[in-house]
Amino acid sequence: MNKLIRVGVIGAGAVASSIHLPILRRRSDLFELIAITDLNIAAAEALAERFAIKHIFDSSDAMFASKEIDAVFILNSGSHAELTVSALNAGLDVFCEKPLAYTQSEIKLIELALKSSGRKLMLGYMKTFDQAVYKAKERIKGRPRTVDALVLHPSGESQLATTDVHVKAFPLPAELLPGIEKSNQKAMTDALGLQGAKAFGREYLDILMGSIIHELSVFRALDIHISKIDYVDRWPIETKSESFVITGRTEDGVRVTIRWFYLDQYPKYQEEIRWVNEEDGHHIIFYSPYILRVPTEYTHTSRNGLDHAEHTFKSYQPNFEIEIAAFATLVNTGKQQEDPIAAGLEDLIITQKIALKICEIEGITPGGDLVNS
């Protein structure tokens, strides 16, 4: 029988409080929830009280040095690379929410730390663990002609309204804001260069690396690997109502489209993936990731003589819980669904190709990782 994995958590935001911490506490057969830290100490204290977490640390370094934990869940917003490297070097196994890194040089540092430490690393792409995705993988035969993703993304507040997130807000202390902004500006500039950071740095961090890589992860799970970006349209520019349409293709000519729309007051989040060829189709619908046990729907359409047949499957087991249980399996046995370095690097390279295409279309001089890698 495997011993309980003693876990520390970095991040006391909405996702941690409404998703990861409830599941970690529920899965007391796998984990012992020991410690938490966040720059926002008030938020960390509130979650420690709510989830009966024994230790509150004022920094990640203090948590890593405490010897109280075996593994860490990195759930904070912003860059994860430095924390991941530090945790691995401290001898901890790591679950890292996406994105793994904003630049290829960061991924190289993580790879070195992973190899030298001998520890385990999982990259958090919960949709690839969804039972509907597994079912699609079982039924898909051959290659598609086209794969399309559609995302209707309302505000975070509307998505969280019916979850278990804290009703009381814990805003960041004002004195922390300049440091966070400096860190974000460095990440944008390192990735895109000065002009790119100014023109679409926020979209790179929040949309491309913060949301659209989820679609890339599902594509990858279905053996769809984008090799070329043909076109990127984004509009309106300089507002908070961004929309992206991205077209690309794989090495074997499969056309891929991503349509991503931020719609502040849209009544529900929805993501759809459609896989189509001449013989059959596969359609997956994901609903808000913040609401557990709302089923993901998968429909397989095939020929039936001159007519057609449709088979629909609904997965009720939360993909987050399957993913977290898979992390326990990784820690205890070494068994892993995918290589986190290869997955993180592939998604980063595709995202940077999208960024380069934006620079080309909009007349922006690329810099940073776009020209250095």
Side-chain angles (χ1 to χ4, degrees):
M1 182 177 179
N2 294 319
K3 69 175 185 178
L4 296 181
I5 301 166
R6 300 177 304 157
V7 169
V9 171
I10 299 175
V15 178
S17 66
S18 63
I19 300 292
H20 293 92
L21 288 173
I23 293 174
L24 286 169
R25 181 56 72 200
R26 165 180 149 76
R27 293 310 303 265
S28 57
D29 59 324
L30 301 174
F31 301 100
E32 186 178 2
L33 188 51
I34 294 287
I36 189 168
T37 186
D38 192 278
L39 291 174
N40 190 343
I41 292 296
E45 289 173 344
L47 290 184
E49 180 180 3
R50 177 180 168 191
F51 291 102
I53 301 173
K54 182 178 180 180
H55 297 290
I56 305 169
F57 289 96
D58 59 8
S59 71
S60 57
D61 287 339
M63 178 191 284
F64 298 161
S66 70
K67 307 301 181 183
E68 296 285 347
I69 61 174
D70 308 308
V72 62
F73 276 65
I74 299 178
L75 310 177
N76 60 295
S77 59
S79 177
H80 296 147
E82 184 176 348
L83 288 170
T84 300
V85 169
S86 296
L88 290 169
N89 288 337
L92 299 173
D93 296 315
V94 177
F95 176 97
C96 178
E97 261 298 342
K98 57 77 186 167
L100 182 61
Y102 291 128
T103 65
Q104 294 185 43
S105 58
E106 287 179 327
I107 287 187
K108 289 176 182 176
L109 291 175
I110 294 170
E111 184 176 21
L112 288 173
L114 183 61
K115 289 179 177 178
S116 63
S117 68
R119 305 313 304 175
K120 313 286 195 322
L121 171 64
M122 175 179 279
L123 179 55
Y125 280 133
M126 77 290 185
K127 289 175 181 175
T128 66
F129 289 87
D130 199 291
Q131 294 298 296
V133 174
Y134 291 163
K135 188 67 68 174
K137 289 167 68 174
E138 289 174 5
R139 294 198 169 192
I140 284 175
K141 308 295 181 187
R143 296 293 289 165
R145 174 175 291 187
T146 181
V147 178
D148 178 65
L150 169 66
V151 180
L152 307 177
H153 197 301
S155 69
E157 290 79 7
S158 64
Q159 290 189 69
L160 292 165
T162 57
T163 70
D164 290 330
V165 71
H166 266 305
V167 173
K168 181 181 177 181
F170 296 91
L172 272 169
E175 62 268 21
L176 295 178
L177 296 177
I180 293 172
E181 178 61 22
K182 182 179 179 181
S183 177
N184 287 338
Q185 286 294 333
K186 182 179 186 307
M188 291 186 289
T189 304
D190 287 350
L192 308 172
L194 289 172
Q195 285 194 25
K198 182 178 180 180
F200 62 98
R202 296 294 176 183
E203 289 84 354
Y204 178 81
L205 297 188
D206 297 339
I207 298 176
L208 297 179
M209 296 298 296
S211 181
I212 287 177
I213 57 172
H214 272 306
E215 285 67 69
L216 301 182
S217 74
V218 178
F219 288 164
R220 188 173 61 253
L222 301 179
D223 196 25
I224 301 299
H225 306 269
I226 299 173
S227 62
K228 181 182 179 182
I229 298 299
D230 294 312
Y231 187 72
V232 179
D233 188 12
R234 66 185 186 104
W235 79 97
I237 297 175
E238 298 179 353
T239 77
K240 293 184 178 181
S241 301
E242 297 92 345
S243 297
F244 277 78
V245 173
I246 301 163
T247 61
R249 66 188 70 195
T250 65
E251 286 286 355
D252 60 344
V254 176
R255 269 41 174 192
V256 182
T257 304
I258 300 171
R259 294 175 291 151
W260 191 99
F261 304 98
Y262 181 80
L263 307 165
D264 185 65
Q265 297 302 310
Y266 195 75
K268 67 175 182 178
Y269 173 96
Q270 187 163 313
E271 175 190 347
E272 300 183 37
I273 304 289
R274 287 186 181 271
W275 183 113
V276 178
N277 67 14
E278 292 81 358
E279 297 178 354
D280 63 352
H282 304 269
H283 184 200
I284 305 172
I285 303 176
F286 300 93
Y287 296 103
S288 175
Y290 297 117
I291 306 175
L292 300 178
R293 305 196 189 284
V294 173
T296 304
E297 299 177 10
Y298 162 61
T299 299
H300 177 212
T301 303
S302 58
R303 288 195 64 83
N304 183 14
L306 296 178
D307 205 338
H308 72 280
E310 288 190 344
H311 300 276
T312 298
F313 169 81
K314 294 185 179 182
S315 63
Y316 285 86
Q317 187 177 2
N319 47 41
F320 275 108
E321 183 169 341
I322 300 170
E323 177 185 58
I324 286 174
F327 178 65
T329 299
L330 170 64
V331 171
N332 287 316
T333 70
K335 182 180 179 181
Q336 190 161 40
Q337 178 168 295
E338 68 176 355
D339 179 344
I341 300 299
L345 182 59
E346 178 176 334
D347 291 341
L348 179 60
I349 288 173
I350 296 170
T351 303
Q352 291 183 343
K353 287 181 179 180
I354 294 170
L356 275 170
K357 183 60 68 172
I358 292 172
C359 290
E360 176 188 323
I361 291 172
E362 299 183 15
I364 299 165
T365 301
D369 212 36
L370 298 186
V371 297
N372 293 330
S373 57

